[in-house]
Amino acid sequence: MDRCSKSHREIAAALNVSKTCVTNTIKKFHEQGEVVDKPRSGRPRVTSLREDRIIARVAKRNRKASLPGIMKEFEDTTHKKVSKMTISRRLGEAGLQSYVPLKKPLLNNTHKRNRRNWCKTRKNWYMEHWGKVMFSDESRFVLYSSRKVRVRRTPTEKFLPECLVPAVQGGGSSVMIWGCMSAAGTGILRFIDGSMDSQEYIETMKDNMLPSAQKLYNGYFVFQQDNAPCHKSAATMAWFERKGILALASKESGPEPH
């Protein structure tokens, strides 16, 4: 190799690197005949690729299994002992992180079939179809939640107001609210005293739903509700029929918007 006539300082300036970097690189080339780093051994993995797949398979077979449970099943299958940290790392490498599960209604096969058919019936609806639907629901809001929270404080700050959680005798109280919305905007809220029965629901339809529909639509609309008992009672259905209101069915059939 022809020697370069440039100094280390000139090479460093041309490459925009430090003079030390140039010196060390040239020294490494003279000693090793190359400038690439030699592979480092590092700490060897205690599991093989096949064993990594076994760990992931055990976790997928029982999604609610704990780390000790996965570790025990892995050891029973492979007759090989590993630590919980190893199990945790392999699950992370497989993209299987631990989360708090979402809470959803318990569905049987009939529920699932009805929901699938409901979606198939309306899969070709356009924006102008959904724009005619007024969605509604009622929900209960707890004023003082019993959910556990954590605060960060020093040992002497435990009585600071911002470090306290309000405690109410009897567990506090809650309020139920009915509301509705559509592509045209939001409707009128109604605060419900006590529980929602058929009579209370019909009163809500008279005093809140109909004025909301008048506010949001100029004429035709479809009203959506779920299958709560007060929504589907004979008295409620008879009231809808008398008023000529089309209710978007929550099962496999329902009116098509014009």
Side-chain angles (χ1 to χ4, degrees):
M1 181 183 74
D2 295 335
R3 291 184 173 274
C4 179
S5 61
K6 294 184 180 295
S7 67
H8 292 184
R9 188 180 302 279
E10 291 172 328
I11 296 173
L15 298 177
N16 195 27
V17 297
S18 68
K19 178 177 173 291
T20 301
C21 176
V22 173
T23 301
N24 291 339
T25 301
I26 293 175
K27 179 182 178 182
K28 181 183 291 187
F29 180 81
H30 288 319
E31 292 177 352
Q32 302 179 5
E34 58 183 1
V35 295
V36 297
D37 292 333
K38 291 184 177 180
R40 298 178 174 87
S41 61
R43 184 177 179 180
R45 291 172 67 93
V46 297
T47 58
S48 64
L49 291 177
R50 173 180 172 274
E51 291 167 341
D52 294 347
R53 291 193 294 270
I54 291 175
I55 293 172
R57 192 160 56 244
V58 169
K60 288 182 178 179
R61 190 161 53 238
N62 181 4
R63 298 283 183 164
K64 296 182 177 65
S66 62
L67 278 179
I70 296 173
M71 181 176 68
K72 182 178 185 307
E73 187 168 347
F74 171 79
E75 293 176 354
D76 291 343
T77 303
T78 62
H79 306 290
K80 181 177 183 177
K81 288 190 174 296
V82 294
S83 67
K84 286 194 297 184
M85 186 59 67
T86 296
I87 296 293
S88 178
R89 278 197 289 262
R90 298 301 175 264
L91 293 175
E93 292 167 0
L96 298 171
Q97 302 291 346
S98 177
Y99 297 93
V100 176
L102 299 177
K103 291 185 178 181
K104 294 295 181 181
L106 178 63
L107 302 178
N108 57 33
N109 290 334
T110 300
H111 296 148
K112 295 175 183 178
R113 182 174 61 254
N114 289 341
R115 291 186 175 206
R116 183 172 59 251
N117 292 337
W118 192 97
C119 293
K120 286 181 177 179
T121 302
R122 295 161 181 82
K123 67 178 180 179
N124 294 324
W125 280 19
Y126 296 104
M127 288 297 296
E128 56 266 30
H129 295 147
W130 290 111
K132 293 292 186 180
V133 179
M134 184 165 68
F135 298 90
S136 71
D137 201 2
E138 55 269 348
S139 184
R140 185 172 296 279
F141 295 87
V142 179
L143 301 182
Y144 297 98
S145 174
S146 59
R147 180 176 62 89
K148 291 184 178 180
V149 298
R150 303 178 70 86
V151 296
R152 297 189 182 278
R153 61 171 177 79
T154 65
T156 60
E157 294 176 329
K158 60 182 178 180
F159 290 115
L160 287 179
E162 58 267 30
C163 296
L164 299 175
V165 174
V168 181
Q169 188 173 5
S173 58
S174 62
V175 60
M176 178 177 285
I177 301 177
W178 178 93
C180 61
M181 65 179 185
S182 74
T186 57
I188 304 170
L189 286 178
R190 181 183 179 95
F191 289 84
I192 310 299
D193 292 329
S195 59
M196 178 79 87
D197 56 16
S198 295
Q199 185 59 40
E200 180 69 33
Y201 189 64
I202 292 174
E203 291 299 320
T204 302
M205 296 297 97
K206 292 178 182 177
D207 299 338
N208 298 84
M209 188 272 282
L210 289 180
S212 296
Q214 188 174 7
K215 166 190 170 185
L216 299 174
Y217 298 98
N218 184 19
Y220 179 83
F221 74 99
V222 176
F223 180 67
Q224 176 274 335
Q225 60 180 357
D226 59 30
N227 282 330
C230 61
H231 298 177
K232 308 298 289 185
S233 68
T236 300
M237 291 292 97
W239 184 86
F240 278 125
E241 186 174 355
R242 287 196 305 271
K243 295 295 182 180
I245 297 173
L246 294 176
L248 183 63
S250 301
K251 291 188 177 181
E252 63 270 21
S253 62
E256 298 283 336
H258 298 326

